Amino acid sequence: MLQRIVLCALLTAAIQFEARPQAVGETAAAENGRRTREIIAFCLNYADGWLKQADPATGLLPRRLNTDRFWNSKDCAADNYPYLLLTAKVTGQVHLERTALAVLETERRLTPRIDSLPDTYDFAKGGFADASPNLQDILFGASEYAKDGLMPITEWLGPGPWVDRMREMVRDIWAHAEVNTGRGVLPSENVEILGNLMQVMSRLYWMTHDTQYKDWAYRIADYYLIDKEMLGMERIALRDHGCEVLGGLSEVYVIAANENPEKREAYRGPLHRVIDVILEKGRNEDGMMPNSFDVRTGEKSWEMTNDSWGYVYDAVYTVGLVDQHAPYHEAVEKAVTNVYRYLGANWERGSADGYADSIESALNLLNRIPCARSFSWVEQSAPFILDKQRPDGILEAWYGDGNSARTMMMYAMYMTQGITAAPWRKDMGLGAVPDGRGGLVISLAADFAWDGILRCDRPRHRDYFHMPVDYPRINQFPEWYTVEEKGTYVLTLPNGSETQVTGGELWHYPLHLEPASSVTLRLRPAKAEAETPPANACSGNWRALRNRTKDAEALNTWQGDTRQELLKVLRIDDLMATHAASPPRARVAGESHEEGYTRRDVQLECSPGREVPVIVTIPDGVSGQRFPAVVCIPGHATESVKLFDDKKMYKRYARELAMRGFVTLTMNVGQHEVRDSNRTLMGERLFDLVRGVDYLASLAEVDPARMGCAGLSLGGEMSMWLGAVDTRMRATVSAGFLTYMNQLEKNHCMCWKEDGLRELIDFPDIYSLIAPRRLLCQIGEKEPPNQFNPVLAKRAFMEVKQAYDAAGASDRAQLVLHGGAHEIELPSLTFFLSGALGPGPNGTVTTTIPCFKPGDP
């Protein structure tokens, strides 16, 4: 108690010193805390939402909310219930925990039909749905309940009533085994039932050392690897509901490798042959997997990208770990380091559950093979789940909502390095990052006063399961930073003082926070040893120039440094240093008068001896008048004239601007060949546009203080670049492009990708170079998920908005989500540019238009 009082005083006092220098890792830890705040709110809202839908008579959860008002074991118990209980346990919400445990007690009392094995319970009937039991359906449901429902609870919490329930069901599954084989009876020939059982029994064996579990597991492994041989199957399923058998075999192989050399030798050849065929025929050039493939022909089923790819690679990694077989590690590393290319992929037709399984797949393997660009993919993929939650906490109104909560908790634990809080409330931010020396930097913040405990993780694979090695496995919660019960650690308090604690104390460490406060703690082993983290599969920094500035001065410094680095990457830093000395030479090739403006076809000499065709329009007006000017940029494979003629995508926006009194310059920069081998494609495109601005600024009809740019698709990308590097652009409209670089790695032209660019920056950072100048981004709500979809646009815009907040210009950046697809939204474009570059009523300037703001539904 004395320790708690003293620490509370120190933490409270530390709040007074807000101006102290920022310690290494503090910003990153606090940023992780801001993310976990959103995630914990998501999980608690999910739990509240589903409990409100529970059957009032029994408290059991329905399978779906619109239909299927019944409880079953393979879905409700396996995929939804466990994450209600884990949400309660992870967040330390006692009332929620009691409710979740009561559901387990009720299920155990009401639903068993054959011994302890549950059957479908119909709420309306107040009893079983079917008049007579179907043994195979019941066995399937029980095996799913054990593997997908009770095992993940056990992975996080260790022994408890969930283990008792699992053991009794496994016992009774085998009591009703009726399939005769040369090795003895099996409960079924269904690959999922047998795969589930191998996983469950392998872990129960390590936990209890009851040899019956090992014997049963060997019996199934013998059946698949010695008697049947999986390669005799016509197709091998690699997706959830088919890949479980491979995971189960890998877990049994761990037992054999540690306890039975003869079994190991018998299994090694057949198991390697199966994996070798999968790696040969069952993946693409990035290591991603189809749903299934034909063993003989290699024909793959690609109707969806396999969201369970990591479940297969768990087994590949495990076998490679046991046998020290480098090709298997390399195969897993290939997939882990390439998944970043699949941002917005068609995981299970875009369902939250598909994204959940794909993120879970990544996190479990990234724990073993870290890769910065793939961690960024996890961060960018999470919003596809978060954004699906309704105000009532429900996502898609089916049992798969639980899997989304599972993955979000798993993601939160990565961002806290396994540290949790009790209670972990919606108003709290908890984050942690490794300090690079074997310790952690921990950030904790709360809106309201908080008295609770921080809980460090422990080596659960050893303490709970007594496993000889922490091999990757389905339904595992990865261990990020663990403390030993009797180990000694040093905790550095916010005022710099240190206190020595044991690992056991860190499992339940009391703390206090004052209202609206935040603190940073540091944790390290008392006897520091050289840290040997897993080898990082991504060399060098990733997004090293990411904008994290908090004030205008820091932002301005970051912008100046970042522009120079980007110009070096684009290889135009020398050109940009001298471009404004004189405008490019221009040759008028033709001229015509249109409604409200004069059109000139001009050849600009953007580099010595090379002319670029542009269309320039001059509004009708009083001689000597200066007009605002806009650089209009077409997309891929689009000629400049389309911006005047096309009504569908471009809405003739160049013509509309010309008629509204803007000088326009339309330049096509969609070339795909580098003209000068000393330059880059993106650099040449961008510098052509800069020379176009030089030309505009030289025209007597143009007011150089009122110039901007606008474009769609590639034009939106180039508008982003032009606005970022040329500060003469007072307003930028980027339509159909706001996203992250990961999303452009597939299904897009790769002309944007220059060597070294991705390591430095992402698109939100480039947009942030425009602040505090005016920015409008447009995204269509009907954009396909694998294109420039609104989910990623909203998240990217929130990052851009942070730069505008730092600049004190929050109202100058706007995102319009319109009802169209990949197209210009003309009213907001013309209104924005008229307000930003042209005089409004009484000579004022306004850009207030309907727009997305962070926090809107």
Side-chain angles (χ1 to χ4, degrees), residues 740-754:
Y740 292 94
M741 290 181 178
N742 282 345
Q743 198 273 324
L744 296 192
E745 290 282 348
K746 286 287 179 183
N747 306 308
H748 292 272
C749 176
M750 297 298 290
C751 57
W752 62 273
K753 191 173 182 179
E754 303 291 0

Side-chain angles (χ1 to χ4, degrees), residues 69-307:
R69 301 291 297 186
F70 57 80
W71 176 97
N72 66 352
S73 54
K74 70 177 181 179
D75 300 321
C76 305
D79 293 323
N80 208 351
Y81 169 72
Y83 305 110
L84 289 173
L85 179 57
L86 280 174
T87 295
K89 289 287 191 178
V90 166
T91 62
Q93 303 283 341
V94 176
H95 68 288
L96 186 57
E97 178 183 341
R98 289 174 178 168
T99 301
L101 288 174
V103 172
L104 177 61
E105 293 171 1
T106 300
E107 175 275 311
R108 209 170 179 180
R109 174 172 52 85
L110 288 181
T111 69
R113 186 150 197 195
I114 299 177
D115 298 331
S116 69
L117 304 179
D119 202 357
T120 300
Y121 189 92
D122 188 288
F123 300 146
K125 290 182 178 179
F128 296 116
D130 298 323
S132 57
N134 182 307
L135 178 61
Q136 283 299 304
D137 286 348
I138 289 174
L139 294 180
F140 179 80
S143 73
E144 282 282 284
Y145 184 15
K147 191 266 290 184
D148 282 336
L150 300 172
M151 187 53 73
I153 297 173
T154 307
E155 283 277 353
W156 184 253
L157 299 176
W162 38 88
V163 176
D164 299 336
R165 182 72 176 114
M166 185 160 42
R167 294 190 69 180
E168 68 186 13
M169 286 195 300
V170 171
R171 177 199 66 208
D172 291 337
I173 286 173
W174 282 95
H176 294 278
E178 297 178 348
V179 177
N180 290 310
T181 73
R183 306 280 175 172
V185 292
L186 295 177
S188 176
E189 292 182 294
N190 181 289
V191 294
E192 190 167 6
I193 292 177
L194 297 181
N196 289 341
L197 287 174
M198 282 191 288
Q199 293 174 54
V200 170
M201 292 183 303
S202 295
R203 284 176 242 186
L204 284 177
Y205 170 68
W206 291 121
M207 176 176 274
T208 66
H209 281 282
D210 183 337
T211 58
Q212 181 65 81
Y213 294 126
K214 178 172 64 175
D215 293 343
W216 281 332
Y218 281 157
R219 188 183 302 178
I220 299 175
D222 287 350
Y223 173 72
Y224 274 112
L225 294 176
I226 298 176
D227 298 347
K228 185 179 178 107
E229 280 235 23
M230 286 182 64
L231 294 182
M233 302 167 64
E234 182 176 337
R235 296 190 73 85
I236 291 182
L238 299 175
R239 188 168 170 264
D240 188 19
H241 301 297
C243 62
E244 284 81 358
V245 68
L246 187 63
L249 289 170
S250 72
E251 295 205 48
V252 179
Y253 192 57
V254 174
I255 299 176
N258 281 272
E259 298 194 354
N260 193 322
E262 292 183 1
K263 284 284 186 190
R264 175 183 181 176
E265 287 305 310
Y267 293 162
R268 187 205 306 263
L271 188 52
H272 276 245
R273 285 194 291 274
V274 171
I275 293 175
D276 290 344
V277 168
I278 290 174
L279 296 181
E280 177 190 355
K281 299 181 179 181
R283 57 179 181 156
N284 66 11
E285 67 279 3
D286 295 321
M288 291 295 106
M289 294 181 168
N291 292 338
S292 64
F293 70 95
D294 188 296
V295 174
R296 296 162 300 175
T297 67
E299 177 267 328
K300 301 174 182 64
S301 175
W302 278 111
E303 64 269 19
M304 296 181 293
T305 306
N306 179 6
D307 57 309

Side-chain angles (χ1 to χ4, degrees), residues 712 735-737 778-790 818 820-823:
L712 169 69
F737 188 76
Q778 298 180 342
I779 292 291
E781 293 177 336
K782 295 178 182 177
E783 285 269 13
N786 66 345
Q787 298 298 313
F788 300 97
N789 60 73
H818 58 82
H822 197 58
E823 60 193 71

Side-chain angles (χ1 to χ4, degrees), residues 303-530:
E303 64 269 19
M304 296 181 293
T305 306
N306 179 6
D307 57 309
S308 310
W309 58 275
Y311 299 177
V312 179
Y313 282 119
D314 284 345
V316 175
Y317 187 102
T318 296
V319 176
L321 182 67
V322 169
D323 291 337
Q324 293 296 295
H325 191 55
Y328 291 172
H329 183 281
E330 292 165 2
V332 178
E333 183 174 300
K334 181 177 185 178
V336 167
T337 57
N338 279 319
V339 68
Y340 77 97
R341 302 176 186 272
Y342 292 80
L343 184 61
N346 184 24
W347 307 115
E348 206 170 302
R349 298 182 179 87
S351 74
D353 182 58
Y355 283 102
D357 287 350
S358 62
I359 294 172
E360 178 201 16
S361 289
L363 283 172
N364 209 19
L365 294 168
L366 284 167
N367 179 259
R368 277 84 181 179
I369 306 176
C371 176
R373 64 187 179 218
S374 295
F375 277 123
S376 75
W377 172 86
V378 171
E379 175 189 339
Q380 294 159 3
S381 295
F384 284 99
I385 299 174
L386 296 171
D387 281 23
K388 288 182 181 290
Q389 191 170 56
R390 305 181 328 204
D392 62 0
I394 304 299
L395 279 78
E396 295 171 329
W398 64 299
Y399 55 90
D401 284 5
N403 291 333
S404 296
R406 167 207 67 203
T407 298
M408 288 297 96
M409 280 187 278
M410 187 181 292
Y411 178 37
M413 290 171 196
Y414 157 64
M415 289 187 289
T416 67
Q417 295 296 289
I419 298 175
T420 58
W424 199 349
R425 302 183 316 225
K426 297 178 185 179
D427 68 301
M428 293 173 60
L430 172 60
V433 293
D435 65 5
R437 299 184 298 275
L440 291 180
V441 180
I442 306 164
S443 174
L444 181 65
D447 292 343
F448 307 106
W450 179 76
D451 286 278
I453 57 174
L454 284 186
R455 303 175 295 189
C456 288
D457 199 6
R458 63 200 295 171
R460 288 172 278 108
H461 76 281
R462 188 196 64 200
D463 291 1
Y464 294 159
F465 287 99
H466 317 298
M467 290 177 174
V469 62
D470 183 21
Y471 59 87
R473 51 201 182 272
I474 300 174
N475 288 319
Q476 178 189 15
F477 283 81
E479 298 170 13
W480 298 101
Y481 188 90
T482 62
V483 297
E484 299 284 348
E485 181 177 15
K486 296 181 180 179
T488 306
Y489 301 84
V490 175
L491 189 65
T492 304
L493 305 176
N495 67 347
S497 65
E498 296 182 344
T499 182
Q500 198 167 84
V501 293
T502 66
E505 290 175 304
L506 289 171
W507 291 346
H508 300 88
Y509 200 84
L511 288 177
H512 167 78
L513 278 184
E514 291 294 305
S517 65
S518 62
V519 294
T520 300
L521 306 171
R522 290 176 176 272
L523 178 65
R524 60 178 171 82
K527 295 182 179 179
E529 299 178 0

